[in-house]
Structure formats: structure tokens, C-alpha cells
Amino acid sequence: MFTWLKGSQSWTNVAQGNSALSIISSFKSLLFCILLSMQAAVVIAAPAAELALTDSERQWLNENPTVSFTGDPNWLPYEAFDANGEYIGIVAEHLKLISKISGISFDISPSATWTESTEKAKSGMVDILSETDDSDLKSHLVFSNSYLSNPIVIAMHNRENYVESISVVKDRKLALIRDYGYASKIRRQYPDIDFITVDDIQDGLLAVSTGEVDALLCTLALCSYTIAELGLNNVRIVGKTEFDTKLALGVQKQLPELVSILNKVIDRISPGEQQVILDAWIRQKFAPKTDYALVFQVTAVALILLAIFIFWNRRLSQEVALRMSTEKELNQEMEKREAVSFELENQNAELERFAYTVSHDLKTPLVTIKGFVGLLGKDLDAGDMPRVADDIEKINGAADKMGTLLDDLLELGRIGRVIGDPVSCDLSEIAAQASQLIETQIVQLGIEIVIDDMPVVQGDKTRLTEVFQNLIENAIKFMGDQQEPRIHIGAVEKDGVICCYVKDNGIGLEARFQEQIFGLFERLSAEVGGTGVGLALVKRIIEVHGGKIWVESEGLGLGSTFWFTLAKAT
């Protein structure tokens, strides 16, 4: 199952990020002018064999090559029927994958409303209904394994502060969308709240915008997508709830073979295939409308970023000129030109990633600064000096966060350009030096550090010290409440390559996060400090040294082991 919410983006960021996203998207556009349904007649024997189906399941597939299906007509980016009656959205793309893997053909039955879709399922007019696994339709349908998860969030007017939970706003006018599966679960959990029912997401968000209701509870993806589509600049996500919703397929009870087949197919869908679908519907179709008035308010920040880019390009030009001069002196013009060309390609790729990540993660402090500047004016007019001091403190905190992000990003950008000549490095000594740099934390937390005898490698000693320091700090951050915290550092040789490891007995890591944690700004917990750049920095250093890095963990509570490879000293 794939969860759509990047670890680097804390809930406070989500609550504050809607309006600034449109600004940064506009600025990005100034800098960078930026599969098929199978025929029902296809033989299903081959994919069925790959799925390890039972004889009864194969027979059922051969006898039932087509099944009827319906979903929500107004639930983008998850699903909808367009003006031509075509079924579109994230769920629709998953159906294409299911069809491709299993050979099942889906006969889509369009509906005008969600209520109409649920009535079709109740009356047996369709075989499958796209629903959530907490649906009230369990008396009529059997549900497949869930394949996509999304949290339930709180949308309110943009003048509202961060909301920690539903209990904080229980005395306000709260709205839920009619017939949505998670609504009944929320009502049961909060029986004392008289929730208002709205017909659909558009009605709910418009009611928040006009003040008819104070808050709407809905899924993160649907809420963010619709706010952007409607251009509601006075509505934003202010917090999350303890609830989430998991997408599944509701199947008529008389079709147990179909449920079993769908479960096997869902288990075959990889996170990579799901990410392709989410990228198409979240990054491309999720394009907020630009607030040009707000763009002018961040012109100063835009100019600073432009200055950084110009400085970077000039540095690159100087380096190219220096390399060309060296080529002529050493009569190795062709070899040097190839090296310069390769370097330029890497730097251009870094420049593009830098522009995207800056525009992505600076939105939170920008929104905070803008919001509290407005509040500062109001509080000054009202003569509320304690609130004025609080506003100034929030603005300073946001500015400090922006400065830290820029420092980390510039340090990340230097890897690959600023690196010393390779020298012989004793890994045991380097690991010991790295642990000494953070000795205060280690002693305070009573952590046992074990460093084995490790071989000598060729590399940049300063950068390799940064690798060990970042990995040890990461282990400390995610040690949890371990009573006997321990970090073990060592290395083994495999096929002529040195494989180093930093192993801890901390909280561990789920398999679905083991690749994404090395991405820029990826943070798995908002409660843990840092900018989300540390592991990306480590990955870049190891790659510049010609190695690779990965993490292994048997699961939550079982610790983690970070592995990386280095070339053996010759």
C-alpha cells in the first residue's frame, strides 16, 4: 500500500503551504519553461499463470473476462467521470494496471452522483465499487486489500491558526461530505458533535470560504486539489485528524474468486508504478491558480534566488575556462573536454534539482512570514504588545528556518564540485573522529558506540567524516526510548569492495520508506529536528566517491543498518 504524504513535509507545513505553492510555482516557471486498456479478447492464461492463480480462479477468469464497475463521479484527483463519460483519475489508472496484470476488462458504468453509484452497488447493478475500506457498505460488499492511503485533514479559513485535532474545534461548525465512508467513523468517534452534511467537496469548501461553516473534514489529496481548482485563496489546510482513509475495491459477496484475484494483483503493483500515477495526477494536474498579487510580495526572495543562480553559473564558467587552459598545457585537450562536458551535465542537473527543491521547501517560512506580517499590523493597531512580540518571534523563527535551508542546500550543491584530492583514509580513525564531534549527545543519552577495526580506503577525509557524523546523528535521532541504546560501526569486504555499515537498535524503518529517505527534504517524522538534507548529503558524497548507499531494517522496533560502499585503497 502506498501512502501519499512526503515525510519531509510536516503537518505545520501542510497547514501553511497552499497559498505559497502558487507563488513558488509561478517563480519556477520564470526559471524553467518546463499507459492502454487491453482488449476483452486478450487471452488471460499467461498473466494468470504469473499470478499463481488457483484452478478455480483461472476458470472464473475464463468465464468472466469482463466485470462491471462504477466509482465516485466527483472525487478528483482520485476519480471522476469527465464530460464525455470517461472514467479518469488515480483509481482509473490503477484499474489499467489491474487489467494489464490480470487480463480483466472493466465495463465502466458512469454515475451522476456518489449516491447513485452506491445504489448501483447495493442493488447489484455493478460487480465492483471504488470505495474506502471503512465503508458502511460492508453489509453488501466484500472489500479487497487497500492499495492507497490518505489522511483526513481539517480545512478552514486562512485566518485560522494550526489545529492539532478535531477536539480543538469541536465547538465550531464542522462539515462532513455526504455518504463518504470515513464520515460515519468520525461521527461514531465524536457523538457529541453535531456535524453539518454537505453534498460534495466543492459545496464544503465554498461553505468554508463564505463562513457558512467553520471547517470541512476531508482527505488531503482531494482537499488540496479542489482548493487549487476552485482558486480559493482564503481557504487552507490547517491541521490533520487521527483518521485516514484507505482506498479499496468493494466486490459483490457472490464473487469471492474475484476478490481473491484482485488481492493478488494489488500485491503485485509496485511502489514505483504507483508513484508514476501519483506524479501524473498530483504534480501535473495539481496546478494551483497563481495569485499574482502575492507574487509581487516575494519579489525580493526571487531576486535573491536569481542572484544565487547567476553566481553559480559564473563559477561554472570560471571552472570551465581553467580546465581548458590546463588541457592545452598538458596536450590532453580531448580527454579534458570530455571531463568538462560530463561535469557540466552534472552541474546542470544539480541546478535543476536545486531550483525545484528551493521552490518546494521555502514555501513554508515564506507563508509564515507573510501571515505574521499581516497579524503584526493588526496587533500594532490594536496595541496588543504581547501579541506583537509573539508575531515578531514567529517571523524571526521562519527567517532562521529559511537561512538554515539555504545553508544546507548550498552545502549539498558543493558536493561534486568542492572535494579534496583522494588520500588514504583509515575508516576506524575517521569514525572515531566523527563520534567525537557529537560526543556531548552520545554521553548525555548514554549511547554505547562500538567501532570495529576497518580497512584503509581512498577518498576525501573531510567528506567521509561528514558521512559517519550524519549517519551517527541520524541513528541518535531515531533511537526512540531504547533502554540500552547502541550504535555499531564496522565494515566487511565483498568482491573487492569495502562495505561499511552503521547499525543501531532504534525504532527501525518500514520497507516502504527505505528508498525515499535519501531524497532531498525527506523527513519521516515532524517531531524529529533537522531539514531533511542530511541523508541526501550523505548519498551525494558516497556517489561522488563511486559508491552506493542503502538501508536495511527488519521493521519497526528492530533497528536499522545503513550500508555504503567505497573503493579499497590500492
Side-chain angles (χ1 to χ4, degrees):
M1 182 179 70
F2 190 93
T3 302
W4 180 69
L5 183 63
K6 295 285 186 181
S8 65
Q9 188 177 32
S10 71
W11 274 107
T12 305
N13 291 353
V14 173
Q16 298 172 338
N18 288 320
S19 60
L21 182 57
S22 62
I23 306 162
I24 304 303
S25 297
S26 300
F27 174 62
K28 254 174 56 179
S29 66
L30 297 175
L31 300 174
F32 301 99
C33 296
I34 323 216
L35 191 169
L36 294 169
S37 294
M38 298 178 64
Q39 304 245 344
V42 173
V43 177
I44 63 173
E50 294 177 6
L51 284 173
L53 300 181
T54 64
D55 291 340
S56 62
E57 289 170 344
R58 289 195 189 93
Q59 180 180 353
W60 191 93
L61 269 181
N62 287 322
E63 294 174 354
N64 302 272
T66 302
V67 295
S68 55
F69 172 94
T70 194
D72 194 326
N74 182 30
W75 202 33
L76 285 176
Y78 291 122
E79 58 182 344
F81 294 103
D82 64 15
N84 298 321
E86 293 293 325
Y87 185 56
I88 60 174
I90 294 173
V91 179
E93 297 302 322
H94 278 80
L95 288 191
K96 292 179 182 179
L97 277 178
I98 293 172
S99 180
K100 180 180 178 181
I101 295 171
S102 68
I104 296 175
S105 177
F106 292 94
D107 180 15
I108 308 297
S109 175
S111 297
T113 65
W114 172 239
T115 300
E116 181 183 343
S117 295
T118 59
E119 289 301 323
K120 287 181 179 179
K122 291 178 182 178
S123 63
M125 292 177 61
V126 292
D127 298 322
I128 303 176
L129 174 69
S130 173
E131 242 291 34
T132 56
D133 63 357
D134 52 6
S135 170
D136 287 335
L137 295 176
K138 289 187 176 180
S139 59
H140 297 81
L141 305 173
V142 177
F143 285 84
S144 71
N145 295 339
S146 60
Y147 57 90
L148 198 66
S149 176
N150 207 229
I152 306 301
V153 298
I154 305 169
M156 300 183 72
H157 196 280
N158 63 6
R159 63 173 173 265
E160 300 289 343
N161 294 322
Y162 174 72
V163 176
E164 191 173 43
S165 66
I166 296 176
S167 299
V168 176
V169 291
K170 64 182 180 180
D171 297 327
R172 309 285 290 274
K173 293 183 290 185
L174 309 183
L176 288 168
I177 303 173
R178 187 184 308 279
D179 293 332
Y180 275 21
Y182 59 80
S184 58
K185 182 167 60 175
I186 295 176
R187 292 181 193 273
R188 287 193 297 270
Q189 185 73 23
Y190 293 92
D192 297 332
I193 299 178
D194 185 15
F195 290 98
I196 298 168
T197 300
V198 295
D199 290 332
D200 51 38
I201 181 67
Q202 289 86 356
D203 287 347
L205 289 175
L206 288 172
V208 173
S209 177
T210 60
E212 184 178 348
V213 299
D214 295 318
L216 175 68
L217 309 184
C218 56
T219 61
L220 171 62
L222 176 63
C223 186
S224 300
Y225 183 95
T226 309
I227 288 174
E229 287 295 304
L230 296 178
L232 298 177
N233 295 321
N234 66 337
V235 178
R236 63 177 179 141
I237 297 171
V238 300
K240 71 176 295 257
T241 71
E242 65 269 37
F243 303 99
D244 62 9
T245 184
K246 297 179 175 64
L247 295 187
L249 299 174
V251 182
Q252 297 293 340
K253 290 187 173 182
Q254 68 271 23
L255 302 174
E257 296 89 354
L258 178 55
V259 176
S260 177
I261 294 168
L262 290 174
N263 285 338
K264 292 179 179 180
V265 175
I266 290 171
D267 291 341
R268 282 279 303 275
I269 298 175
S270 69
E273 290 171 315
Q274 287 192 316
Q275 189 62 55
V276 170
I277 295 173
L278 293 174
D279 286 348
W281 280 96
I282 302 302
R283 293 184 183 174
Q284 297 176 13
K285 298 180 183 293
F286 201 146
K289 294 178 174 60
T290 302
D291 183 348
Y292 290 101
L294 210 52
V295 171
F296 287 108
Q297 297 181 27
V298 295
T299 301
V301 175
L303 292 175
I304 293 172
L305 295 177
L306 281 172
I308 294 172
F309 296 149
I310 293 171
F311 171 77
W312 197 341
N313 278 325
R314 288 182 177 176
R315 275 296 294 272
L316 287 176
S317 299
Q318 294 171 358
E319 290 183 10
V320 170
L322 179 61
R323 287 181 182 273
M324 293 296 290
S325 175
T326 304
E327 289 165 5
K328 293 178 182 179
E329 294 175 2
L330 299 175
N331 294 319
Q332 295 177 341
E333 184 174 355
M334 293 303 298
E335 293 182 4
K336 291 295 182 180
R337 284 182 177 177
E338 290 177 1
V340 170
S341 176
F342 179 77
E343 180 71 9
L344 283 173
E345 289 177 3
N346 285 340
Q347 296 300 332
N348 286 335
E350 288 182 9
L351 184 60
E352 292 179 8
R353 288 194 295 270
F354 179 81
Y356 173 76
T357 52
V358 168
S359 65
H360 177 274
D361 221 66
L362 283 180
K363 63 179 180 289
T364 297
L366 288 175
V367 169
T368 301
I369 291 172
K370 177 182 178 298
F372 280 97
V373 165
L375 291 175
L376 180 61
K378 294 179 181 178
D379 293 337
L380 284 171
D381 291 341
D384 190 345
M385 300 313 294
R387 290 292 297 270
V388 168
D390 183 64
D391 295 338
I392 293 174
E393 182 180 353
K394 295 293 194 305
I395 292 171
N396 285 333
D400 290 343
K401 179 178 180 181
M402 185 183 299
T404 300
L405 286 172
L406 286 173
D407 289 343
D408 286 348
L409 283 169
L410 290 174
E411 174 65 16
L412 182 66
R414 281 193 287 266
I415 302 302
R417 297 187 301 110
V418 181
I419 191 162
D421 294 331
V423 298
S424 295
C425 302
D426 186 320
L427 292 178
S428 298
E429 291 182 1
I430 291 176
Q433 290 172 4
S435 64
Q436 289 172 3
L437 294 174
I438 51 175
E439 184 176 7
T440 301
Q441 296 182 59
I442 296 172
V443 173
Q444 287 178 346
L445 297 175
I447 299 175
E448 178 188 3
I449 302 288
V450 178
I451 302 176
D452 293 344
D453 289 333
M454 293 187 284
V456 175
V457 300
Q458 290 290 116
D460 183 329
K461 186 174 182 180
T462 300
R463 294 300 186 189
L464 291 179
T465 303
E466 290 181 39
V467 169
F468 279 106
Q469 181 179 347
N470 273 287
L471 292 178
I472 296 171
E473 288 179 333
N474 186 75
I476 293 173
K477 287 179 184 178
F478 293 95
M479 187 61 70
D481 56 0
Q482 177 61 248
Q483 297 301 309
E484 298 181 357
R486 186 174 189 267
I487 299 174
H488 183 187
I489 304 171
V492 296
E493 183 175 347
K494 295 181 181 178
D495 301 325
V497 176
I498 304 301
C499 298
C500 306
Y501 61 85
V502 177
K503 182 177 182 180
D504 64 68
N505 61 346
I507 64 175
L509 183 67
E510 295 182 64
R512 58 197 177 111
F513 296 125
Q514 291 180 11
E515 289 187 9
Q516 78 177 63
I517 61 170
F518 294 103
L520 195 55
F521 297 122
E522 293 292 349
R523 293 168 59 213
L524 300 185
S525 173
E527 299 176 358
V528 178
T531 59
V533 176
L535 290 180
L537 184 69
V538 169
K539 182 174 184 288
R540 187 76 62 84
I541 295 173
I542 296 302
E543 289 176 345
V544 168
H545 280 77
K548 60 181 181 178
I549 185 168
W550 69 97
V551 61
E552 296 177 355
S553 176
E554 296 183 5
L556 295 177
L558 299 176
S560 301
T561 303
F562 283 81
W563 290 88
F564 60 91
T565 62
L566 294 169
K568 187 176 181 180
T570 55

